[in-house]
Structures are given as C-alpha cells and as structure tokens.
Amino acid sequence: LGDVYKRQIHWKNNFNYTLHMLHPVSKLDNEPINVKLTGVKTNSYDFEAIIGHSNFVIKGTAFKISD
C-alpha cells in the first residue's frame, strides 16, 4: 500500500477536518473527504464523512486501542 493511501489533513476547527489524497490515482481519489466529529467519549469518537460534494454520508465510530 505504501504511499498510495497517504492523505493530508486540514483542520477547519476542533470538530471538522478535510482529508486530501496526496497521490490520487482515480477521479474519486481527487475528491476531498469532509469529516465532522459528532460525539466524543473517553476512548472513542463518532464521526460523519462525506466524499466530495455528494449527499452520501458515512457514519462511524473510531476507537482508541492503546496509549
């Protein structure tokens, strides 16, 4: 996988950031991924992500697995 999936992160504020693929291969790779943190807990956070300017929202939870 290497450099193919590396992304640049740009924080808009404490709860919103945008990811840009550094080495896009396809047209979809050129689209930014806008992420909004919707809930913060001790060992996890909930988020919503939108690719580009679509109406498709991906919801998920990221968990802290170690210190």
Side-chain angles (χ1 to χ4, degrees):
L1 296 174
D3 291 339
V4 175
Y5 295 104
K6 284 188 179 177
R7 297 184 185 273
Q8 178 183 34
I9 186 169
H10 170 75
W11 284 92
K12 297 176 183 178
N13 57 46
N14 288 338
F15 297 97
N16 294 282
Y17 61 90
T18 302
L19 298 171
H20 296 276
M21 188 170 279
L22 293 179
H23 305 287
V25 177
S26 68
K27 185 177 178 182
L28 183 61
D29 291 345
N30 280 313
E31 295 292 329
I33 300 174
N34 299 298
V35 180
K36 177 171 67 171
L37 302 181
T38 58
V40 178
K41 299 176 184 109
T42 303
N43 292 317
S44 68
Y45 64 88
D46 299 324
F47 64 89
E48 294 179 353
I50 300 172
I51 298 175
H53 301 286
S54 71
N55 293 325
F56 181 70
V57 177
I58 302 165
K59 295 181 179 183
T61 302
F63 295 93
K64 180 179 177 181
I65 56 174
S66 67
D67 286 329

